[in-house]
């Protein structure tokens, strides 16, 4: 019981601190719908932003057992690093380990890396900061950061690179790709995304097309075996190219076995997904008109693609290596959505925004109070 109370208290306090700091920043950087940006451009690093970033880094630097791989990363760090880790990640790991940094600083460094780059992605849209802080915690994206440390370090670099896609700066995007690959080799797929997203930043203009695609993927999620057979060749090529020899088709069908054994996703989960996704789809045209700049359309394209891919491959740990480069846009997308709902000052929109927040609060409470969740928090000095 103490662990549950401690978990709820730590995450709740952290969320409050981050949202308040974000609100202070946003108050000085409002959005001008007629200007496609904010009225006042403030420096990215300020006292409130430093408190926001450092509070997040402190909590997740001092964690113990939060995230599936936390203890394995800890073991690797204590012995001086792992040869299996990619170049840049391994360099930081080895340097800090050999120079005697306490592991709290090591985990804190990567937490700080994640949070700073996530917010830097929308550095020109600081009015989102309080909502982004809120959705980072309520969507459990923070737990994804802790569960997949190396890949998430690469993903936030990709999020920053979206600015270079919208600004048509391929060389800067290339640099970001190389940095991301040096953190997690799965980031090689980012080379494919530049031509796709630079040619067109809005691939889902029609609401009816989005609804059709969502319905088809919703149906296909219950036919995972057929979907796996469709992707057998590209998946095998990816596994061989990335030296993921332990990721093979047998493991994919093992995912299917696990799904069948533990029950298909036919409970409350799909209903909650529909409730949180459909309003964003129905409001997509209005939001694209309100946020009339390329970055928003890129974020929307990534978010919706990620939702479709999560339906098809969400139960597969292996395929999520690819899916996560799209679903990482979720907290940013919902920040835009909530800002639109609250800023347009219409009763219907305001009620919808409040409803989405309450839904995510309920999901947040469910995660942090689940006794078997890897989100269960305790400080390292308690062990």
């Amino acid at each position: 019981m103490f662990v549950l109370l401690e978990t709820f208290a730590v995450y709740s306090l952290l969320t409050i601190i981050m949202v308040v700091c974000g609100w202070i920043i946003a108050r000085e950087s409002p959005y001008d719908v007629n200007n496609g940006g904010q009225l006042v451009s403030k420096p990215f690093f300020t006292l409130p932003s430093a408190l926001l970033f450092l509070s997040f880094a402190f909590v997740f630097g001092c964690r113990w057992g939060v995230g599936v791989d936390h203890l394995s990363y800890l073991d690797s760090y204590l012995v001086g690093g792992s040869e299996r880790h990619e170049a840049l990640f391994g360099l930081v790991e080895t340097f800090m380990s050999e120079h005697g940094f306490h592991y709290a600083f090591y985990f804190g460094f990567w937490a700080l890396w994640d949070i700073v780059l996530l917010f830097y992605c929308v550095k020109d849209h600081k009015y989102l900061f309080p909502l982004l802080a809120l959705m980072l915690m309520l969507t459990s994206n923070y737990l994804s950061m802790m569960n997949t440390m190396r890949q998430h370090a690469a993903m936030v670099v990709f999020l920053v690179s979206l600015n270079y896609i919208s600004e048509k700066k391929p060389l800067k995007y290339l640099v970001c790709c190389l940095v991301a690959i040096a953190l997690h080799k799965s980031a090689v797929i980012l080379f494919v995304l530049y031509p796709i997203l630079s040619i067109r930043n809005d691939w889902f203009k029609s609401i009816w097309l989005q609804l059709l695609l969502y319905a088809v993927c919703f149906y296909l999620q219950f036919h995972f075996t057929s979907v796996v057979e469709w992707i057998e060749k590209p998946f095998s090529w990816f596994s061989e190219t990335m030296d993921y020899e332990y990721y093979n088709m047998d493991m994919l069908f093992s995912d299917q076995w696990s799904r069948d054994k533990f029950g298909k996703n036919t409970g409350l989960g799909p209903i909650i997904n529909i409730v949180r996704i459909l309003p964003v789809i129905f409001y997509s045209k209005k939001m694209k008109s309100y946020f009339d700049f390329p970055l928003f359309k890129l974020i929307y394209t990534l978010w919706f693609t990620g939702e479709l891919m999560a339906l098809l491959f969400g139960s597969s740990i292996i395929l999520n290596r690819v899916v996560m480069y799209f679903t990482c846009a979720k907290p940013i997308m919902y920040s835009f959505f909530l800002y639109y709902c609250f800023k347009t000052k219409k009763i219907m929109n305001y009620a919808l925004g409040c409803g989405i927040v309450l839904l995510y609060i309920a999901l947040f409470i469910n995660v942090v109070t689940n006794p078997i969740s890897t989100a269960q928090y305790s400080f390292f000095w308690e062990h």
Side-chain angles (χ1 to χ4, degrees), residues 271-290:
I271 298 176
I272 293 175
N273 280 333
I274 291 173
V275 169
R276 69 175 179 81
I277 291 172
L278 288 187
V280 183
I281 294 175
F282 282 119
Y283 275 68
S284 59
K285 280 195 173 182
K286 294 179 179 179
M287 286 192 293
K288 289 171 186 176
S289 176
Y290 189 82

Side-chain angles (χ1 to χ4, degrees), residues 208-223:
W208 290 109
L209 174 61
Q210 293 178 66
L211 293 174
L212 175 61
L213 290 172
Y214 188 79
V216 170
C217 291
F218 188 87
Y219 169 78
L220 289 176
Q221 71 173 318
F222 303 111
H223 300 274

Side-chain angles (χ1 to χ4, degrees), residues 193-259:
L193 294 181
Y194 184 83
I196 296 174
L197 296 176
S198 61
I199 292 172
R200 181 189 300 176
N201 51 36
D202 184 9
W203 284 87
F204 304 105
K205 295 182 179 181
S206 169
I207 292 177
W208 290 109
L209 174 61
Q210 293 178 66
L211 293 174
L212 175 61
L213 290 172
Y214 188 79
V216 170
C217 291
F218 188 87
Y219 169 78
L220 289 176
Q221 71 173 318
F222 303 111
H223 300 274
F224 185 72
T225 301
S226 299
V227 175
V228 168
E229 290 173 349
W230 294 343
I231 65 169
E232 179 176 357
K233 289 184 178 180
F235 175 79
S236 298
W237 174 86
F238 181 77
S239 298
E240 292 175 6
T241 305
M242 293 295 98
D243 195 28
Y244 287 154
E245 66 279 356
Y246 45 89
Y247 286 171
N248 51 45
M249 294 305 297
D250 291 338
M251 291 187 68
L252 280 181
F253 285 107
S254 177
D255 285 339
Q256 167 64 17
W257 176 85
S258 298
R259 174 185 285 199

Side-chain angles (χ1 to χ4, degrees), residues 34 45 50 65 94 154 185 263 285 312 345:
N34 297 315
F45 290 105
T94 302
K185 55 191 174 185
K285 280 195 173 182
L312 294 176
K345 298 180 180 179

